[in-house]
């Protein structure tokens, strides 16, 4: 990976700081929360994060650091 | 990966900007939407994206950033 | 990976442009179609592509870009 | 990966040394414990670590070194 | 990976060109055929290749290019 | 990975040479034994190693070399 | 990976040439045989190799080249 956030990723992430984003992880789980920061590896920090449980409800996690390489999709909500 | 979008990938993606593309992900899921942008890692941004549900219906996601390394197939529709 | 298509891969691919090839993907799925182009990462573009369904039938996909790292086997038909 | 802990990861980890963190691993398991140290590969050492068992209880592990590449989410508790 | 076929791999492959080899792939499938060529990534081309079906029989594939990174075991027969 | 054992990993491993460690592998298996040596890839050699069987018992393996990239957790016992 | 066999791996492998070793692969299969050679990628050649079948019996494979990246554990017997 280059030394900069890829342009395509950067634009959508820069516009989403402070907004709620939905992140889908490898293996099928989802986490949503307020995008606090990100870096060039697409590591993501969310505040007020929640993880989706199997029954469609959400469990509070608080602040989370998500390693970029486990992320499949990032979607501003 | 080199510093440029591989030629083969670049041609088909450049022709598809603004068009609907179907993206098949590792693990078997599919997402479709209007191709907004892409970069040299084949990270993809789609507008008006939808994900395929198990029963053949589609759920709206809005704008999504898809990490290139999770993509198996990209197909203009 | 080096900056050139590996020799062994290059020879069989160069001879197959314009021909029908069968591509087996990680996870067990297969796609076949007319080989349009390829690059040094073994990314492949097929025209008139079809994917194999579980029941042995094939579904039309049209033109597809297949990321090289998901390919297990390429076989000219 | 660069030669430094990515900024986004560094901030949340630096603030959490000596605190309890929950770590979710690839494959779905979780480990929690007191964050003792970390490095640029996001390798993590926890003291008084416990692993989550299937029934919601936790089993004591003591001190553990967790390889960074197996970590999906790090969450201060 | 270095710029040369690793010695250990090279010796056994060089001796096997023109011979029948059995290749076991990640995921448990096997392909056998006459070793035509290989390169430094251990990409393999087989002629008269056949893939093992679940019931112990073999299906003809013809010439195949197998990407090295999906290969677990190569065994001259 | 850098040319040195990451600091965080090094400290806990250096203190554990000659001690019994429990190693959890990708896929869920565990191996325990006396830590004999390790290197910068976190390859590990254990003496008097045992692997955990499904029923909670342990089977003797003797001396084992464990490739670092398959290790999830290392825990001194 | 560096240009040399990691020390820890090298010592145990050098002592085992000509001896029977048991190799556990990703995915849970095992192969045993007489260690003929190895290289810096931990690619392994075994003579008189056998693979473990599900029922505890062993099937003869002859000489095999095992790609290092699929190896979890190497154990001299």
């Amino acid at each position: 990976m280059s030394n900069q956030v890829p342009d395509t990723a950067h634009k959508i992430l820069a516009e989403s700081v402070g907004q709620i984003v939905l992140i889908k992880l490898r293996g099928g789980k989802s986490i949503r929360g307020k995008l606090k920061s990100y870096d060039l590896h697409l590591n993501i920090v969310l505040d007020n994060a929640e993880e989706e449980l199997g029954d469609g409800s959400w469990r509070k996690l608080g602040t989370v650091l998500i390693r970029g390489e486990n992320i499949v999709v990032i979607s501003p909500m």
Side-chain angles (χ1 to χ4, degrees), chain A:
Chain A
M1 189 172 277
S2 76
N3 290 329
Q4 300 183 313
V5 179
D7 276 358
T8 287
H10 179 66
K11 279 182 196 156
I12 194 170
L13 288 170
E15 290 168 7
S16 300
V17 171
Q19 310 291 324
I20 303 298
V21 297
L22 174 70
I23 292 177
K24 292 174 176 284
L25 302 171
R26 287 190 188 172
K29 296 221 168 172
S30 294
I31 293 180
R32 68 182 181 195
K34 191 167 72 165
L35 180 61
K36 187 177 182 185
S37 62
Y38 61 94
D39 62 29
L40 62 90
H41 303 288
L42 296 191
N43 295 316
I44 300 278
V45 174
L46 301 181
D47 280 335
N48 303 322
E50 298 172 297
E51 64 176 332
E52 195 176 30
L53 301 180
D55 61 0
S57 66
W58 295 80
R59 176 168 53 186
K60 293 194 179 183
L61 291 175
T63 297
V64 297
L65 166 64
I66 305 173
R67 279 175 55 97
E69 66 187 74
N70 296 294
I71 295 175
V72 180
V73 174
I74 302 173
S75 178
M77 294 180 74

